[in-house]
Amino acid sequence: GFRAVAEALEKTTTGLGLERYGEEGDEFDPTIHEALTHEYSPDVEGIVCSRIYQPGYRVGPRVLRAARVAVTEAEGGVVPASVEGALSVDAQGPGADSSDEQSPDEKPE
């Protein structure tokens, strides 16, 4: 029943060019991976995807959904500039500007 439908759907989408990607051990690429966690280990070289939380999907070069991954980096390794921004966390979130914030004690003008 359900298995046959799932297999037929997978065969159809694959025939249309939909590709599932994201495997443990893949080199981290911020253009196709979304890093959810980051850790260091002496057991890896470079920056790799150590766990796949959710696989990614693409059609040709177009990414439909980035793979959501855990990233492991070699201890003492140098992070390439292309990856550094993807691994950093902004405490205020994207687009936040602290100069526009009003303290709770201030009254609006």
Side-chain angles (χ1 to χ4, degrees):
F2 287 114
R3 182 174 295 174
V5 172
E7 289 172 356
L9 180 61
E10 185 176 344
K11 182 178 179 183
T12 300
T13 57
T14 300
L16 294 172
L18 182 69
E19 176 189 358
R20 178 181 174 156
Y21 70 91
E23 298 290 328
E24 289 184 13
D26 286 353
E27 182 177 334
F28 177 72
D29 179 348
T31 63
I32 63 170
H33 296 112
E34 179 182 352
L36 300 181
T37 63
H38 180 238
E39 58 191 22
Y40 296 93
S41 172
D43 301 329
V44 299
E45 289 187 26
I47 303 172
V48 297
C49 299
S50 54
R51 187 175 306 123
I52 309 299
Y53 294 114
Q54 194 172 38
Y57 291 92
R58 62 182 160 208
V59 175
R62 183 175 179 198
V63 174
L64 302 179
R65 181 177 76 192
R68 303 179 86 191
V69 302
V71 175
T72 301
E73 178 182 348
E75 287 182 347
V78 176
V79 179
S82 64
V83 174
E84 188 173 351
L87 297 177
S88 66
V89 177
D90 182 2
Q92 296 181 357
D97 183 4
S98 60
S99 64
D100 293 338
E101 291 182 13
Q102 180 178 348
S103 76
D105 297 332
E106 291 181 34
K107 293 182 182 175
E109 295 178 17

